[in-house]
Amino acid sequence: MGSRKKLVKRLHGLIDRLETLLPENEAAVDWSYTAYQWRDGRLQGVAQPHLCALDDLLCMQRQKTEVLRNVRRFLGGRPANHVLLWGARGTGKSTLIKAVFHELSGAGLRLLEMDAAHLHELPRLAERIRDRDERFLLYCDDLSFEADDPSYKTFKAMLEGSIAAPPENLLICATSNRRHLMPEFQQENQETRYLGDEVHPGESVEEKVSLSERFGLWLSFYPFRQEEYLQICGHWLQRLSGQRQDPGSYREAAVQWAQQRGARSGRVARQFAIDHLAQQD
């Protein structure tokens, strides 16, 4: 009897694993949500998306304007470019995507989040939403690939390069700390050839550049200057406390806070504001 129970248990486990490989039932997705995550081969609705306000993003007016313009074109059914936001950590790349979604979700925009570890399932996700009326923004955060990552070619083909047309209701927005999404090595520069005044990069460099070039809208983010950082600190102090703070009361502490963390970013500024207000309680 014991061996029979063990066999039944193993069979149930096998069935559970097989179900994740089978095509998803159309009725299994609740399309009433505005945000979804791809988990275990399925689209799962997010009951409480992390909502961010565009007004909380300071010192990045150009980036906000460009992304909003592009996504609004996409929502209107007009041609739009896939978006790559790259640059220093904590400078608002991911927050900008969430804020644009929050701004436009009432106009019909839907957000899909897929981890880099699941990008090999991107074609399956694409087919899942291809015939839907909604417009989906695919959010890939902290995207990067190692040299031998097999999902790299899948992602590259989805952007542009496969004989299968990507869904016209899907727009990809990715963030990365790497400009070309892949590690760059010093020896690759040795592959560069010079023919007169012409520079011909080596095959390794060309391969890496070819991926990032598939993003039509390419925006960079740099660490904030000190005055910009202090402006953001003041914004968050007022936002979190409900009242304007005297810059002289926090300037020195804010500068020291950034020096301790080795960065001046929006994330560091908000963390400072939280700590500074907590010390006043």
Side-chain angles (χ1 to χ4, degrees), residues 57-203:
L57 297 175
L58 306 182
C59 306
M60 60 170 72
Q61 189 56 48
R62 174 177 172 270
Q63 291 91 332
K64 288 197 293 185
T65 300
E66 289 295 310
V67 175
L68 269 173
R69 176 185 58 82
N70 189 65
V71 176
R72 283 189 171 123
R73 285 183 58 84
F74 169 68
L75 268 177
R78 291 174 290 171
N81 283 312
H82 298 302
V83 182
L84 175 61
L85 309 179
W86 75 275
R89 66 186 188 278
T91 48
K93 302 183 295 295
S94 301
T95 307
L96 176 54
I97 294 177
K98 296 173 188 176
V100 168
F101 159 67
H102 180 41
E103 180 77 10
L104 301 177
S105 60
L109 185 66
R110 298 294 178 261
L111 188 67
L112 304 177
E113 182 179 20
M114 174 174 270
D115 294 337
H118 299 142
L119 283 177
H120 63 281
E121 297 180 306
L122 186 53
R124 184 177 171 190
L125 168 62
E127 291 307 313
R128 192 70 187 83
I129 57 97
R130 183 183 293 274
D131 296 327
R132 299 293 306 176
D133 294 330
E134 299 90 346
R135 313 289 288 180
F136 295 95
L137 190 68
L138 179 62
Y139 168 49
C140 299
D141 189 32
D142 197 18
L143 184 64
S144 64
F145 300 96
E146 297 305 320
D148 57 349
D149 191 337
S151 61
Y152 159 77
K153 292 189 180 298
T154 301
F155 188 74
K156 183 178 177 181
M158 178 58 62
L159 287 167
E160 185 181 331
S162 171
I163 61 171
E168 66 88 27
N169 62 341
L170 180 67
L171 186 72
I172 298 175
C173 283
T175 71
S176 180
N177 295 332
R178 291 175 174 174
R179 182 180 182 184
H180 293 135
L181 304 177
M182 298 185 71
E184 300 181 23
F185 304 103
Q186 183 176 357
Q187 61 266 27
E188 292 172 348
N189 293 327
Q190 299 174 4
E191 300 177 9
T192 302
R193 295 178 295 110
Y194 300 90
L195 299 177
D197 294 332
E198 296 182 359
V199 179
H200 296 269
E203 292 183 0

